[in-house]
Amino acid sequence: AYERTCRYFARKSNSVVVSVGYRLAPKHPYPTQFEDCLTATIHFMRTAQDYGVDPSRIIICGDSSGGTLTAAVAQALVNRRDLPKLRAQILIYPFLQCVDFNLPSYQQNEGVPILLKERTLALGLKYLNKDLSVMEAVFKGCHIPEDMQLKYQKWVSPDYIPHEFKTRGYKPSTTHPFSEELYTLLKPVFDPVFSPLLAEDSVIARLPEAFILTCEYDVLRDDGLLYKKRLEDHGIKVTWCHLQEGFHGTV
């Protein structure tokens, strides 16, 4: 599916492009995918010169769940002293959080193909090998304890979405009772490997420059907008491209 895209990138940017064939769920359970991407990245950083690549000019890139993996790998590398620093990260309509499924982009685009709101969560739950019967409760936010709600509000909130992205409609969501059982079942979704938007400030502040692509007709649009804000709040340079007519999978 991606070979032509990768060849195009290599040709147009005159770059060496390495595409990581990470192992797939459910046969290989989460977080195998992240571990494979991290292992491949570290190996390439250590051997870049064998491929005629300047180790100081390595950029990592991914789209959709690949954008999640890209963000997570970039975060995992911030404290590595034994490796060159990443030059940049490219996040193409990434999935970045499992806290709020009622952000404006989720409300506006819930029925827009190809990534319907229900499909987004169903894929996430299947990735973690969890039962899909919990979907309704997760959409209501019943999986988040109150103290974590307060913490995450600093990073994941419709208040940080610019007004122009709410003009197609947005209704603030009501709060629902917390379920300890649901929280216990879904603890992995709060790990920054799964939800990179939930990384601590100390990690975000050390990330490399970013290019973020968002699409207007995409449930994940606001994940990208919120990550852009977090990076910029820490002085990280972000190049942002928003496709006004774009939809998820448009690459």
Side-chain angles (χ1 to χ4, degrees):
Y2 282 87
E3 180 158 351
R4 283 181 64 190
T5 308
C6 291
R7 285 178 179 274
Y8 179 84
F9 283 165
R11 193 167 66 246
K12 287 288 182 182
S13 61
N14 191 26
S15 306
V16 172
V17 172
V18 179
S19 181
V20 182
Y22 57 84
R23 289 168 292 174
L24 303 178
K27 188 180 176 187
H28 299 281
Y30 165 88
T32 304
Q33 298 67 29
F34 162 72
E35 288 162 357
D36 283 357
C37 289
L38 183 61
T39 302
T41 304
I42 291 170
H43 174 73
F44 186 76
M45 290 177 124
R46 286 185 171 144
T47 58
Q49 282 157 325
D50 298 350
Y51 301 93
V53 171
D54 177 349
S56 70
R57 297 179 68 187
I58 295 171
I59 299 171
I60 56 174
C61 169
D63 77 316
S64 195
S65 57
T68 319
L69 292 165
T70 300
V73 167
Q75 291 179 4
L77 293 173
V78 295
N79 292 320
R80 294 292 292 255
R81 299 260 171 93
D82 56 326
L83 296 167
K85 285 220 175 308
L86 279 175
R87 174 64 187 84
Q89 53 180 326
I90 296 175
L91 310 177
I92 300 171
Y93 37 73
F95 170 93
L96 296 171
Q97 59 86 25
C98 209
V99 171
D100 191 342
F101 288 98
N102 289 295
L103 291 168
S105 61
Y106 270 107
Q107 291 188 20
Q108 294 160 7
N109 303 310
E110 64 179 342
V112 177
I114 54 176
L115 193 63
L116 312 176
K117 175 175 170 173
E118 287 207 348
R119 183 175 289 169
T120 308
L121 182 54
L123 289 170
L125 290 170
K126 282 182 176 177
Y127 184 31
L128 295 173
N129 206 16
K130 303 296 182 188
D131 196 275
L132 299 190
S133 62
V134 302
M135 281 176 65
E136 199 52 48
V138 175
F139 282 142
K140 290 175 179 172
C142 302
H143 60 307
I144 313 164
E146 201 173 326
D147 58 330
M148 288 170 79
Q149 278 276 23
L150 289 170
K151 178 181 177 177
Y152 295 149
Q153 266 170 7
K154 298 180 300 190
W155 306 328
V156 185
S157 166
D159 297 347
Y160 301 136
I161 303 299
H163 175 71
E164 65 264 29
F165 293 103
K166 295 176 183 170
T167 53
R168 287 201 290 124
Y170 168 66
K171 280 188 186 155
S173 51
T174 48
T175 51
H176 292 270
F178 164 64
S179 160
E180 183 74 48
E181 187 186 356
L182 194 59
Y183 168 66
T184 306
L185 178 76
L186 294 180
K187 258 187 187 165
V189 307
F190 302 110
D191 188 319
V193 168
F194 192 88
S195 296
L197 191 50
L198 306 183
E200 296 296 334
D201 286 338
S202 56
V203 173
I204 299 287
R206 301 185 63 187
L207 286 168
E209 183 179 342
F211 173 93
I212 298 176
L213 184 133
T214 52
C215 293
E216 180 60 30
Y217 298 99
D218 180 7
V219 289
L220 301 183
R221 179 195 71 201
D222 294 350
D223 282 24
L225 294 176
L226 292 170
Y227 205 53
K228 171 181 179 284
K229 181 184 187 302
R230 279 204 78 193
L231 291 168
E232 289 176 338
D233 285 351
H234 287 278
I236 311 293
K237 185 182 172 192
V238 179
T239 304
W240 174 49
C241 173
H242 182 66
L243 302 183
Q244 199 55 53
E245 301 293 318
F247 54 90
H248 196 85
T250 203
V251 162

